[in-house]
Amino acid sequence: MNQTLKMAALVVLAAGAVACTNPENKAETQNTSDSTGVAGTDSTGALNPANFEATIDGKKTGLYTLKNNDGMRVAITSYGGRIVGLWVPDKSGKSTDVVIGLNSVDGYQNATEAYLGATIGRYGNRIAKARFKLDGKEYTLAANNGPNNLHGGKKGFQYVVWDAAQPNDSTLELSYVSPDMEEGFPGELKVKVTYSLTSDNAIKMEYQATTNKNTIVNLTNHAYFNLNGEGSGDILQQTAQIYADKYTPVDSTLIPTGKLDPVAGTPFDFTKPVAIGARIGEDDTQLKYGRGYDHNYVLNGTKGDYGLTHAATFTGDQSGIVMDIYTQEPGLQFYSGNFNEGKNTLKSGAKDIHRGAFCAETQHFPDSPNQPAFPSVELKPGATYHTVSYYKFSVKK
């Protein structure tokens, strides 16, 4: 197996053997004063666990709350492995929800934005013309994003019910077995994703997977962040620093051309902190293709915490909240919320407005199965896909 696929996990994948915790019993034992009684940037509009109890494809869904001892909490639903909300203290100590989300399973089922907070698979990002070759055989996938395959197909991991086990207050283990040829991908893939909160206010995302046939895999999380808080407005004045000297330019369908272009002298240069909106409206072909930023950055290996690569630092201009991303992955997809249109009502009561949140997805590069020069995403029987990323929160001093 390619060494890059062995990189420690964002979400640990196991053979579907993790016991499923009954969400109804879990909800009964949670102390609501420590649970998700926060929405938006204040303490109103508490999430109701009952709104996340449903039966989909014969499996029960539920809502799980994780917490640490430093005021950080995260709510996750087993429907799609979605981060529903993530609360951290701002510069004044106020609990602020920095991940936009919805207030029910029904909301996620009917949302016009499919990927809100979701665990993404089997393949995060795009695959050109919805097909790839492996071991001389061509596999055809669903063309669910123009001519391309996006985020695993029409029913990616965002629409499945994960088996959930919560071994302690700060950890949630999610497991799913993807059958051979589900959405056109070969091999039975056994996945385990572990979300856990650390004592230094990070959410650790760990992914692990095994297969019984040669296949491809690229797992990530699609949380939408607004570091000033859900419903606080757009993210254009929030700053980004991405530790990458190059990025992968794309064609008009957002498929990488295969080149690794320097960011220097372009609107894609975030090697120093820059407001997300400072250059987003420039007359640039790549920005026009993405309707803003929707591009993969080639991380330059800057050393960071946890022995991992420092991928990026984002800062809320109003809240002072800082989010540092550390990963074993070679790339980071930066997306500036260009296709959100205010059609979905968030848990705070606000709308998911255009550029009201951004995504920062640790990943292998888009279209890697069709780009031999990119790091490999192949997974073989007997090998384990394992990768880890941390999203660490602090306040600007």
Side-chain angles (χ1 to χ4, degrees), residues 26 29-31 34 64-69 72-74 166-172 195-197:
K26 180 62 188 173
T29 59
Q30 286 177 338
N31 183 331
D34 293 328
Y64 301 83
T65 300
L66 309 181
K67 60 183 178 180
N68 68 6
N69 292 323
M72 182 176 180
R73 286 173 293 146
V74 61
Q166 189 168 357
N168 55 57
D169 284 349
S170 62
T171 305
L172 182 67
Y195 291 106
S196 54
L197 302 186

Side-chain angles (χ1 to χ4, degrees), residues 249-276:
V250 295
D251 64 19
S252 60
T253 70
L254 301 181
I255 293 295
T257 62
K259 296 180 180 180
L260 306 182
D261 279 1
V263 299
T266 77
F268 294 85
D269 188 350
F270 287 95
T271 52
K272 295 181 180 179
V274 178
I276 292 171

